[in-house]
Amino acid sequence: MGSILAFGDSNTWGLIPGTKKRYPWGVRWTSLVQEELKENRIIEDGLCGRTTVFEDQLRPFRKGAEVLPLTLEGNYPLDGAIIMLGTNDCKTMFNASEHVIGLGLEKCLDELEKYLLPEQILVISPISLGEDVWRPEKDPEFDSSSVETSINLRHEYERIAKRRGNRFLAASDVAGASTVDDEHMDEEGHKALAFAIVQKLSEMNIA
């Protein structure tokens, strides 16, 4: 049996929109992918607020590139990895463009490629933020520019994955943010994303 690392933020952890609770096994996408795998095991490593490289002064230990070396060493050997980060990088406190966030993604990929071949890594650009995500009752850590940046991550990540030889999937092509908080996927979103990921893993010969 092989192992596939699923490294991401709250949409990998499985946050239920508008709450601080987690979708149970059988609902969140990581578990749905696991149920479809025959010979491989999904290692769930999602953390709410996680970024590619940015330090959140309000929530420490969220820098993905800094944590990845420990995660990789602790879970080695791996047969593949899925990485889906970038949503939290769009927060106004970081003031980062899609290009800069892409550079952060590459720092994470540098760490992953110390243990895996480029073609064993599935880069997933995150779902786009909903247009009202910045409202006080939702998540005012974002603004309207954050929404635009999140949309632009799709093409930035695809360009990076193609150049480096990684596999690519755009979560925004198959799922969207719930209108409850304009940030996280609902149950149908998790199901749709899981289906698309299983298809990609199959193409990669690791499912």
Side-chain angles (χ1 to χ4, degrees):
M1 176 179 286
S3 298
I4 302 170
L5 175 67
F7 190 76
D9 52 32
S10 53
N11 272 314
T12 295
W13 185 74
L15 185 73
I16 300 174
T19 76
K20 295 185 182 297
K21 298 179 180 179
R22 188 184 194 184
Y23 281 120
W25 186 268
V27 177
R28 59 184 184 267
W29 71 259
T30 46
S31 68
L32 295 175
V33 171
Q34 177 66 86
E35 290 175 354
E36 290 296 321
L37 299 182
K38 300 297 186 289
E39 301 295 333
N40 291 298
R41 175 176 63 100
I42 290 289
I43 300 170
E44 298 181 290
D45 193 340
L47 180 66
C48 297
R50 179 176 279 160
T51 67
T52 58
V53 295
F54 298 109
E55 185 69 75
D56 188 336
Q57 297 300 322
L58 303 175
R59 305 174 77 182
F61 312 117
R62 293 314 195 265
K63 294 170 64 174
E66 190 170 79
V67 173
L68 259 174
L70 300 178
T71 296
L72 290 164
E73 185 175 347
N75 289 291
Y76 183 79
L78 294 168
D79 295 273
I82 302 164
I83 181 168
M84 184 170 69
L85 287 173
T87 297
N88 294 300
D89 302 57
C90 296
K91 291 178 178 179
T92 56
M93 71 173 72
F94 303 128
N95 191 33
S97 67
E98 62 270 17
H99 173 69
V100 171
I101 296 171
L103 294 176
L105 171 69
E106 294 213 60
K107 290 290 187 182
C108 294
L109 292 173
D110 288 343
E111 296 301 326
L112 287 167
E113 289 175 11
K114 292 176 181 177
Y115 290 82
L116 294 162
L117 297 172
E119 59 267 26
Q120 293 177 296
I121 301 167
L122 176 58
V123 173
I124 304 181
S125 59
I127 60 170
S128 302
L129 293 166
E131 61 181 14
D132 291 328
V133 67
W134 51 269
R135 293 187 179 279
E137 66 273 17
K138 294 187 177 182
D139 196 340
E141 290 189 60
F142 298 103
D143 63 11
S144 57
S145 294
S146 303
V147 177
E148 182 178 357
T149 300
S150 75
I151 293 171
N152 293 338
L153 287 180
R154 185 201 187 287
H155 295 295
E156 187 68 20
Y157 280 25
E158 184 175 24
R159 180 186 65 79
I160 291 169
K162 183 177 181 179
R163 173 169 51 78
R164 297 181 68 115
N166 309 123
R167 300 297 185 260
F168 174 75
L169 172 67
S172 56
D173 283 354
V174 298
S178 166
T179 55
V180 172
D181 66 3
D182 280 313
E183 187 176 356
H184 298 97
M185 293 182 290
D186 60 17
E187 293 186 27
E188 288 304 311
H190 277 266
K191 186 182 299 184
L193 181 59
F195 179 80
I197 290 173
V198 169
Q199 294 296 109
K200 280 289 182 180
L201 293 178
S202 180
E203 294 171 11
M204 296 165 65
N205 295 315
I206 54 174

